[in-house]
Amino acid sequence: MSSGVKHGAGFLVSGALAFTTDALVLTALTRGAGLDPFSARVIAIACAMIVAFYAHRTLTFAVTTAATLKEFAKFLSVAITASLINYAVYAGVLLYAPATEPVAALIAATVIAMGVTYLGLRFGVFRTPPPS
């Protein structure tokens, strides 16, 4: 498998792991623990961000040095920024075109946020080039 394909697959798998963590924690907290969906989502996102950090370090960017608090803080700044952009695009699409299906707005917002996330991680957090 070429390094570019491996790198891209790592990015997608890392995102899928983070999404799965988000969904499982959210479900466990709302259905199992009886927590309200808004509070549960905050906890679920926090868990997903930790999983995403380690998954991207390992699978996407193949970082071999020990993780640092500074690196994690930079990761969080990218993740939070991407989340805010995701929500802004989602809301903007629905406000501009109210007849749009929410899932269509979600897809558009996710594609844009994925690009922001990748660029932020690649050039701001994990500066090493992908393995060749």
Side-chain angles (χ1 to χ4, degrees):
M1 182 183 307
S2 78
S3 64
V5 170
K6 198 172 178 182
H7 185 70
F11 183 75
L12 293 176
V13 169
S14 296
L17 287 170
F19 176 81
T20 301
T21 300
D22 191 348
L24 290 173
V25 172
L26 179 64
T27 301
L29 292 174
T30 54
R31 293 188 183 168
L35 203 61
D36 71 272
F38 300 102
S39 301
R41 187 71 205 282
V42 171
I43 296 167
I45 288 171
C47 292
M49 284 185 179
I50 292 167
V51 168
F53 173 70
Y54 285 104
H56 282 302
R57 281 187 106 256
T58 305
L59 303 174
T60 307
F61 298 100
V63 178
T64 56
T65 58
T68 65
L69 189 55
K70 180 179 178 182
E71 182 183 60
F72 185 64
K74 288 194 290 186
F75 174 85
L76 286 179
S77 70
V78 169
I80 291 167
T81 299
S83 294
L84 292 171
I85 290 169
N86 186 314
Y87 189 80
V89 170
Y90 172 81
V93 167
L94 292 178
L95 291 170
Y96 180 75
T100 303
E101 283 293 322
V103 171
L106 171 66
I107 291 167
T110 299
V111 168
I112 291 168
M114 281 175 59
V116 169
T117 298
Y118 179 78
L119 293 172
L121 296 181
R122 171 72 176 86
F123 297 107
V125 180
F126 308 116
R127 293 182 187 219
T128 58
S132 354

